[in-house]
Amino acid sequence: MKKVLQYIGLSDAEITVYPSLTRLGPKSIRIIAADAGINRGTTYEVLTRLVSRGLASYFPKGKRRYFVATDPTNLISLAKEHQQSVVQALQELESDIV
């Protein structure tokens, strides 16, 4: 799974946090950080990036935010975006050759 997540552009930290997020369900940053084995500050930054990529969401619960993974099929959307970028790069290379 790690290679697939790398292929679609997730960072090492995102690859560390994402499985914890999918496994744990809605949890606070503190719990996700402990499960992933990284500090809370880094976990917060990673979760923010995962939210922006559509792989996570959050909701307030009291004074805390609880993060949860979105439907894992969203990974397919990221893979398609990555594929489109590769196709576009190849087209640019081919136009430079001709």
Side-chain angles (χ1 to χ4, degrees), residues 14 18 21 44-59 65-70 74:
E14 290 168 334
Y18 185 71
L21 195 60
Y44 179 76
E45 291 173 11
V46 169
L47 288 169
T48 301
R49 289 195 307 263
L50 290 173
V51 167
S52 71
R53 289 175 176 255
L55 297 177
S57 64
Y58 66 90
F59 59 91
R65 289 182 182 177
Y66 277 62
F67 287 82
V68 64
T70 58
N74 289 342

PDB file of all heavy atoms in Angstrom, residues 14 18 21 44-59 65-70 74:
ATOM      1  N   GLU A  14       2.290  11.711   5.442  1.00  0.00           N
ATOM      2  CA  GLU A  14       0.895  11.428   5.088  1.00  0.00           C
ATOM      3  C   GLU A  14       0.661   9.920   5.009  1.00  0.00           C
ATOM      4  O   GLU A  14      -0.374   9.424   5.442  1.00  0.00           O
ATOM      5  CB  GLU A  14       0.533  12.091   3.761  1.00  0.00           C
ATOM      6  CG  GLU A  14       0.451  13.596   3.856  1.00  0.00           C
ATOM      7  CD  GLU A  14       0.381  14.289   2.512  1.00  0.00           C
ATOM      8  OE1 GLU A  14       0.873  13.737   1.501  1.00  0.00           O
ATOM      9  OE2 GLU A  14      -0.174  15.398   2.468  1.00  0.00           O
ATOM     10  N   TYR A  18      -2.223   8.394   7.360  1.00  0.00           N
ATOM     11  CA  TYR A  18      -3.449   7.965   6.683  1.00  0.00           C
ATOM     12  C   TYR A  18      -3.955   6.591   7.148  1.00  0.00           C
ATOM     13  O   TYR A  18      -5.142   6.451   7.445  1.00  0.00           O
ATOM     14  CB  TYR A  18      -3.268   8.010   5.166  1.00  0.00           C
ATOM     15  CG  TYR A  18      -4.538   7.695   4.417  1.00  0.00           C
ATOM     16  CD1 TYR A  18      -5.601   8.602   4.398  1.00  0.00           C
ATOM     17  CD2 TYR A  18      -4.690   6.493   3.740  1.00  0.00           C
ATOM     18  CE1 TYR A  18      -6.783   8.311   3.726  1.00  0.00           C
ATOM     19  CE2 TYR A  18      -5.862   6.197   3.063  1.00  0.00           C
ATOM     20  CZ  TYR A  18      -6.902   7.111   3.065  1.00  0.00           C
ATOM     21  OH  TYR A  18      -8.071   6.812   2.399  1.00  0.00           O
ATOM     22  N   LEU A  21      -5.577   6.912  10.475  1.00  0.00           N
ATOM     23  CA  LEU A  21      -6.848   7.618  10.344  1.00  0.00           C
ATOM     24  C   LEU A  21      -7.948   6.676   9.856  1.00  0.00           C
ATOM     25  O   LEU A  21      -9.067   6.703  10.367  1.00  0.00           O
ATOM     26  CB  LEU A  21      -6.658   8.781   9.370  1.00  0.00           C
ATOM     27  CG  LEU A  21      -7.711   9.854   9.317  1.00  0.00           C
ATOM     28  CD1 LEU A  21      -7.875  10.534  10.658  1.00  0.00           C
ATOM     29  CD2 LEU A  21      -7.342  10.873   8.260  1.00  0.00           C
ATOM     30  N   TYR A  44      -0.991  17.381  13.035  1.00  0.00           N
ATOM     31  CA  TYR A  44      -1.963  18.412  12.655  1.00  0.00           C
ATOM     32  C   TYR A  44      -1.702  18.906  11.234  1.00  0.00           C
ATOM     33  O   TYR A  44      -2.627  19.036  10.428  1.00  0.00           O
ATOM     34  CB  TYR A  44      -1.939  19.577  13.640  1.00  0.00           C
ATOM     35  CG  TYR A  44      -2.902  20.663  13.255  1.00  0.00           C
ATOM     36  CD1 TYR A  44      -4.264  20.515  13.476  1.00  0.00           C
ATOM     37  CD2 TYR A  44      -2.460  21.823  12.631  1.00  0.00           C
ATOM     38  CE1 TYR A  44      -5.162  21.494  13.093  1.00  0.00           C
ATOM     39  CE2 TYR A  44      -3.340  22.815  12.250  1.00  0.00           C
ATOM     40  CZ  TYR A  44      -4.693  22.647  12.487  1.00  0.00           C
ATOM     41  OH  TYR A  44      -5.573  23.616  12.098  1.00  0.00           O
ATOM     42  N   GLU A  45      -0.435  19.174  10.920  1.00  0.00           N
ATOM     43  CA  GLU A  45      -0.084  19.630   9.569  1.00  0.00           C
ATOM     44  C   GLU A  45      -0.450  18.581   8.520  1.00  0.00           C
ATOM     45  O   GLU A  45      -0.987  18.913   7.458  1.00  0.00           O
ATOM     46  CB  GLU A  45       1.410  19.935   9.489  1.00  0.00           C
ATOM     47  CG  GLU A  45       1.831  21.147  10.295  1.00  0.00           C
ATOM     48  CD  GLU A  45       3.336  21.327  10.337  1.00  0.00           C
ATOM     49  OE1 GLU A  45       4.056  20.633   9.574  1.00  0.00           O
ATOM     50  OE2 GLU A  45       3.796  22.148  11.141  1.00  0.00           O
ATOM     51  N   VAL A  46      -0.165  17.326   8.816  1.00  0.00           N
ATOM     52  CA  VAL A  46      -0.471  16.241   7.886  1.00  0.00           C
ATOM     53  C   VAL A  46      -1.978  16.113   7.702  1.00  0.00           C
ATOM     54  O   VAL A  46      -2.463  15.971   6.575  1.00  0.00           O
ATOM     55  CB  VAL A  46       0.140  14.912   8.382  1.00  0.00           C
ATOM     56  CG1 VAL A  46      -0.383  13.731   7.589  1.00  0.00           C
ATOM     57  CG2 VAL A  46       1.655  14.966   8.319  1.00  0.00           C
ATOM     58  N   LEU A  47      -2.732  16.174   8.785  1.00  0.00           N
ATOM     59  CA  LEU A  47      -4.187  16.069   8.695  1.00  0.00           C
ATOM     60  C   LEU A  47      -4.769  17.215   7.876  1.00  0.00           C
ATOM     61  O   LEU A  47      -5.694  17.014   7.086  1.00  0.00           O
ATOM     62  CB  LEU A  47      -4.807  16.033  10.090  1.00  0.00           C
ATOM     63  CG  LEU A  47      -4.575  14.734  10.869  1.00  0.00           C
ATOM     64  CD1 LEU A  47      -4.989  14.909  12.315  1.00  0.00           C
ATOM     65  CD2 LEU A  47      -5.304  13.574  10.225  1.00  0.00           C
ATOM     66  N   THR A  48      -4.204  18.400   8.028  1.00  0.00           N
ATOM     67  CA  THR A  48      -4.653  19.550   7.247  1.00  0.00           C
ATOM     68  C   THR A  48      -4.442  19.294   5.755  1.00  0.00           C
ATOM     69  O   THR A  48      -5.310  19.582   4.925  1.00  0.00           O
ATOM     70  CB  THR A  48      -3.915  20.826   7.686  1.00  0.00           C
ATOM     71  OG1 THR A  48      -4.172  21.038   9.082  1.00  0.00           O
ATOM     72  CG2 THR A  48      -4.374  22.030   6.908  1.00  0.00           C
ATOM     73  N   ARG A  49      -3.289  18.721   5.400  1.00  0.00           N
ATOM     74  CA  ARG A  49      -3.020  18.395   3.994  1.00  0.00           C
ATOM     75  C   ARG A  49      -3.956  17.298   3.487  1.00  0.00           C
ATOM     76  O   ARG A  49      -4.445  17.359   2.353  1.00  0.00           O
ATOM     77  CB  ARG A  49      -1.560  17.980   3.801  1.00  0.00           C
ATOM     78  CG  ARG A  49      -0.586  19.138   3.930  1.00  0.00           C
ATOM     79  CD  ARG A  49       0.797  18.803   3.396  1.00  0.00           C
ATOM     80  NE  ARG A  49       1.386  17.605   3.936  1.00  0.00           N
ATOM     81  CZ  ARG A  49       2.252  17.561   4.953  1.00  0.00           C
ATOM     82  NH1 ARG A  49       2.620  18.680   5.571  1.00  0.00           N
ATOM     83  NH2 ARG A  49       2.759  16.416   5.348  1.00  0.00           N
ATOM     84  N   LEU A  50      -4.213  16.292   4.324  1.00  0.00           N
ATOM     85  CA  LEU A  50      -5.119  15.220   3.920  1.00  0.00           C
ATOM     86  C   LEU A  50      -6.538  15.756   3.711  1.00  0.00           C
ATOM     87  O   LEU A  50      -7.232  15.328   2.782  1.00  0.00           O
ATOM     88  CB  LEU A  50      -5.119  14.088   4.954  1.00  0.00           C
ATOM     89  CG  LEU A  50      -3.836  13.255   5.023  1.00  0.00           C
ATOM     90  CD1 LEU A  50      -3.891  12.286   6.200  1.00  0.00           C
ATOM     91  CD2 LEU A  50      -3.582  12.510   3.719  1.00  0.00           C
ATOM     92  N   VAL A  51      -6.948  16.712   4.534  1.00  0.00           N
ATOM     93  CA  VAL A  51      -8.262  17.344   4.348  1.00  0.00           C
ATOM     94  C   VAL A  51      -8.284  18.084   3.014  1.00  0.00           C
ATOM     95  O   VAL A  51      -9.246  17.970   2.243  1.00  0.00           O
ATOM     96  CB  VAL A  51      -8.601  18.292   5.520  1.00  0.00           C
ATOM     97  CG1 VAL A  51      -9.787  19.188   5.193  1.00  0.00           C
ATOM     98  CG2 VAL A  51      -8.874  17.497   6.799  1.00  0.00           C
ATOM     99  N   SER A  52      -7.222  18.836   2.707  1.00  0.00           N
ATOM    100  CA  SER A  52      -7.195  19.598   1.457  1.00  0.00           C
ATOM    101  C   SER A  52      -7.175  18.681   0.227  1.00  0.00           C
ATOM    102  O   SER A  52      -7.640  19.062  -0.839  1.00  0.00           O
ATOM    103  CB  SER A  52      -6.006  20.558   1.422  1.00  0.00           C
ATOM    104  OG  SER A  52      -4.796  19.865   1.280  1.00  0.00           O
ATOM    105  N   ARG A  53      -6.662  17.477   0.381  1.00  0.00           N
ATOM    106  CA  ARG A  53      -6.634  16.511  -0.720  1.00  0.00           C
ATOM    107  C   ARG A  53      -7.936  15.714  -0.822  1.00  0.00           C
ATOM    108  O   ARG A  53      -8.089  14.898  -1.722  1.00  0.00           O
ATOM    109  CB  ARG A  53      -5.480  15.516  -0.530  1.00  0.00           C
ATOM    110  CG  ARG A  53      -4.123  16.110  -0.732  1.00  0.00           C
ATOM    111  CD  ARG A  53      -3.076  15.051  -0.398  1.00  0.00           C
ATOM    112  NE  ARG A  53      -1.748  15.519  -0.647  1.00  0.00           N
ATOM    113  CZ  ARG A  53      -1.001  15.141  -1.675  1.00  0.00           C
ATOM    114  NH1 ARG A  53      -1.458  14.282  -2.543  1.00  0.00           N
ATOM    115  NH2 ARG A  53       0.204  15.611  -1.821  1.00  0.00           N
ATOM    116  N   GLY A  54      -8.831  15.913   0.132  1.00  0.00           N
ATOM    117  CA  GLY A  54     -10.097  15.191   0.125  1.00  0.00           C
ATOM    118  C   GLY A  54     -10.025  13.805   0.723  1.00  0.00           C
ATOM    119  O   GLY A  54     -10.933  12.995   0.550  1.00  0.00           O
ATOM    120  N   LEU A  55      -8.941  13.503   1.445  1.00  0.00           N
ATOM    121  CA  LEU A  55      -8.777  12.183   2.034  1.00  0.00           C
ATOM    122  C   LEU A  55      -9.200  12.126   3.497  1.00  0.00           C
ATOM    123  O   LEU A  55      -9.233  11.047   4.102  1.00  0.00           O
ATOM    124  CB  LEU A  55      -7.321  11.724   1.902  1.00  0.00           C
ATOM    125  CG  LEU A  55      -6.827  11.550   0.476  1.00  0.00           C
ATOM    126  CD1 LEU A  55      -5.354  11.175   0.461  1.00  0.00           C
ATOM    127  CD2 LEU A  55      -7.656  10.515  -0.266  1.00  0.00           C
ATOM    128  N   ALA A  56      -9.510  13.278   4.079  1.00  0.00           N
ATOM    129  CA  ALA A  56      -9.933  13.336   5.477  1.00  0.00           C
ATOM    130  C   ALA A  56     -10.895  14.503   5.651  1.00  0.00           C
ATOM    131  O   ALA A  56     -10.950  15.410   4.809  1.00  0.00           O
ATOM    132  CB  ALA A  56      -8.726  13.506   6.399  1.00  0.00           C
ATOM    133  N   SER A  57     -11.634  14.450   6.731  1.00  0.00           N
ATOM    134  CA  SER A  57     -12.489  15.568   7.115  1.00  0.00           C
ATOM    135  C   SER A  57     -12.456  15.656   8.630  1.00  0.00           C
ATOM    136  O   SER A  57     -11.884  14.788   9.304  1.00  0.00           O
ATOM    137  CB  SER A  57     -13.917  15.369   6.605  1.00  0.00           C
ATOM    138  OG  SER A  57     -14.506  14.244   7.209  1.00  0.00           O
ATOM    139  N   TYR A  58     -13.055  16.711   9.156  1.00  0.00           N
ATOM    140  CA  TYR A  58     -13.082  16.853  10.605  1.00  0.00           C
ATOM    141  C   TYR A  58     -14.386  17.504  11.034  1.00  0.00           C
ATOM    142  O   TYR A  58     -15.097  18.096  10.235  1.00  0.00           O
ATOM    143  CB  TYR A  58     -11.885  17.656  11.114  1.00  0.00           C
ATOM    144  CG  TYR A  58     -11.880  19.096  10.681  1.00  0.00           C
ATOM    145  CD1 TYR A  58     -12.498  20.081  11.447  1.00  0.00           C
ATOM    146  CD2 TYR A  58     -11.267  19.482   9.493  1.00  0.00           C
ATOM    147  CE1 TYR A  58     -12.497  21.408  11.042  1.00  0.00           C
ATOM    148  CE2 TYR A  58     -11.266  20.792   9.084  1.00  0.00           C
ATOM    149  CZ  TYR A  58     -11.877  21.753   9.865  1.00  0.00           C
ATOM    150  OH  TYR A  58     -11.894  23.057   9.461  1.00  0.00           O
ATOM    151  N   PHE A  59     -14.665  17.367  12.308  1.00  0.00           N
ATOM    152  CA  PHE A  59     -15.827  18.023  12.899  1.00  0.00           C
ATOM    153  C   PHE A  59     -15.471  18.410  14.322  1.00  0.00           C
ATOM    154  O   PHE A  59     -14.654  17.752  14.973  1.00  0.00           O
ATOM    155  CB  PHE A  59     -17.062  17.108  12.851  1.00  0.00           C
ATOM    156  CG  PHE A  59     -16.882  15.789  13.563  1.00  0.00           C
ATOM    157  CD1 PHE A  59     -17.219  15.651  14.901  1.00  0.00           C
ATOM    158  CD2 PHE A  59     -16.369  14.690  12.884  1.00  0.00           C
ATOM    159  CE1 PHE A  59     -17.051  14.440  15.551  1.00  0.00           C
ATOM    160  CE2 PHE A  59     -16.201  13.475  13.531  1.00  0.00           C
ATOM    161  CZ  PHE A  59     -16.545  13.351  14.869  1.00  0.00           C
ATOM    162  N   ARG A  65     -11.075  19.101  17.669  1.00  0.00           N
ATOM    163  CA  ARG A  65     -11.475  18.658  16.334  1.00  0.00           C
ATOM    164  C   ARG A  65     -11.252  17.148  16.269  1.00  0.00           C
ATOM    165  O   ARG A  65     -10.206  16.648  16.680  1.00  0.00           O
ATOM    166  CB  ARG A  65     -10.619  19.308  15.254  1.00  0.00           C
ATOM    167  CG  ARG A  65     -10.869  20.757  15.059  1.00  0.00           C
ATOM    168  CD  ARG A  65     -10.006  21.255  13.936  1.00  0.00           C
ATOM    169  NE  ARG A  65     -10.189  22.679  13.746  1.00  0.00           N
ATOM    170  CZ  ARG A  65      -9.513  23.390  12.873  1.00  0.00           C
ATOM    171  NH1 ARG A  65      -8.605  22.817  12.117  1.00  0.00           N
ATOM    172  NH2 ARG A  65      -9.744  24.677  12.759  1.00  0.00           N
ATOM    173  N   TYR A  66     -12.209  16.473  15.708  1.00  0.00           N
ATOM    174  CA  TYR A  66     -12.079  15.040  15.481  1.00  0.00           C
ATOM    175  C   TYR A  66     -11.935  14.819  13.981  1.00  0.00           C
ATOM    176  O   TYR A  66     -12.754  15.295  13.200  1.00  0.00           O
ATOM    177  CB  TYR A  66     -13.296  14.293  16.035  1.00  0.00           C
ATOM    178  CG  TYR A  66     -13.185  14.018  17.514  1.00  0.00           C
ATOM    179  CD1 TYR A  66     -13.096  15.059  18.432  1.00  0.00           C
ATOM    180  CD2 TYR A  66     -13.126  12.718  17.989  1.00  0.00           C
ATOM    181  CE1 TYR A  66     -12.973  14.817  19.786  1.00  0.00           C
ATOM    182  CE2 TYR A  66     -13.004  12.464  19.353  1.00  0.00           C
ATOM    183  CZ  TYR A  66     -12.930  13.512  20.233  1.00  0.00           C
ATOM    184  OH  TYR A  66     -12.792  13.268  21.573  1.00  0.00           O
ATOM    185  N   PHE A  67     -10.879  14.115  13.620  1.00  0.00           N
ATOM    186  CA  PHE A  67     -10.587  13.854  12.214  1.00  0.00           C
ATOM    187  C   PHE A  67     -10.992  12.430  11.864  1.00  0.00           C
ATOM    188  O   PHE A  67     -10.892  11.519  12.683  1.00  0.00           O
ATOM    189  CB  PHE A  67      -9.093  14.050  11.933  1.00  0.00           C
ATOM    190  CG  PHE A  67      -8.682  15.484  11.936  1.00  0.00           C
ATOM    191  CD1 PHE A  67      -8.406  16.143  13.121  1.00  0.00           C
ATOM    192  CD2 PHE A  67      -8.584  16.190  10.748  1.00  0.00           C
ATOM    193  CE1 PHE A  67      -8.032  17.477  13.127  1.00  0.00           C
ATOM    194  CE2 PHE A  67      -8.207  17.519  10.741  1.00  0.00           C
ATOM    195  CZ  PHE A  67      -7.926  18.163  11.936  1.00  0.00           C
ATOM    196  N   VAL A  68     -11.432  12.274  10.629  1.00  0.00           N
ATOM    197  CA  VAL A  68     -11.839  10.965  10.136  1.00  0.00           C
ATOM    198  C   VAL A  68     -11.463  10.868   8.661  1.00  0.00           C
ATOM    199  O   VAL A  68     -11.473  11.867   7.942  1.00  0.00           O
ATOM    200  CB  VAL A  68     -13.357  10.743  10.357  1.00  0.00           C
ATOM    201  CG1 VAL A  68     -14.181  11.734   9.558  1.00  0.00           C
ATOM    202  CG2 VAL A  68     -13.765   9.316  10.045  1.00  0.00           C
ATOM    203  N   ALA A  69     -11.118   9.674   8.231  1.00  0.00           N
ATOM    204  CA  ALA A  69     -10.807   9.456   6.810  1.00  0.00           C
ATOM    205  C   ALA A  69     -12.096   9.518   6.002  1.00  0.00           C
ATOM    206  O   ALA A  69     -13.145   9.066   6.450  1.00  0.00           O
ATOM    207  CB  ALA A  69     -10.132   8.100   6.629  1.00  0.00           C
ATOM    208  N   THR A  70     -12.009  10.095   4.821  1.00  0.00           N
ATOM    209  CA  THR A  70     -13.143  10.062   3.908  1.00  0.00           C
ATOM    210  C   THR A  70     -13.141   8.706   3.205  1.00  0.00           C
ATOM    211  O   THR A  70     -12.260   7.876   3.439  1.00  0.00           O
ATOM    212  CB  THR A  70     -13.072  11.208   2.876  1.00  0.00           C
ATOM    213  OG1 THR A  70     -11.846  11.096   2.153  1.00  0.00           O
ATOM    214  CG2 THR A  70     -13.148  12.565   3.554  1.00  0.00           C
ATOM    215  N   ASN A  74     -11.621   7.903  -2.692  1.00  0.00           N
ATOM    216  CA  ASN A  74     -11.065   9.203  -3.072  1.00  0.00           C
ATOM    217  C   ASN A  74      -9.618   9.070  -3.535  1.00  0.00           C
ATOM    218  O   ASN A  74      -9.113   9.936  -4.247  1.00  0.00           O
ATOM    219  CB  ASN A  74     -11.164  10.205  -1.925  1.00  0.00           C
ATOM    220  CG  ASN A  74     -12.591  10.642  -1.672  1.00  0.00           C
ATOM    221  OD1 ASN A  74     -13.465  10.478  -2.515  1.00  0.00           O
ATOM    222  ND2 ASN A  74     -12.840  11.206  -0.516  1.00  0.00           N
TER     223      ASN A  74
END
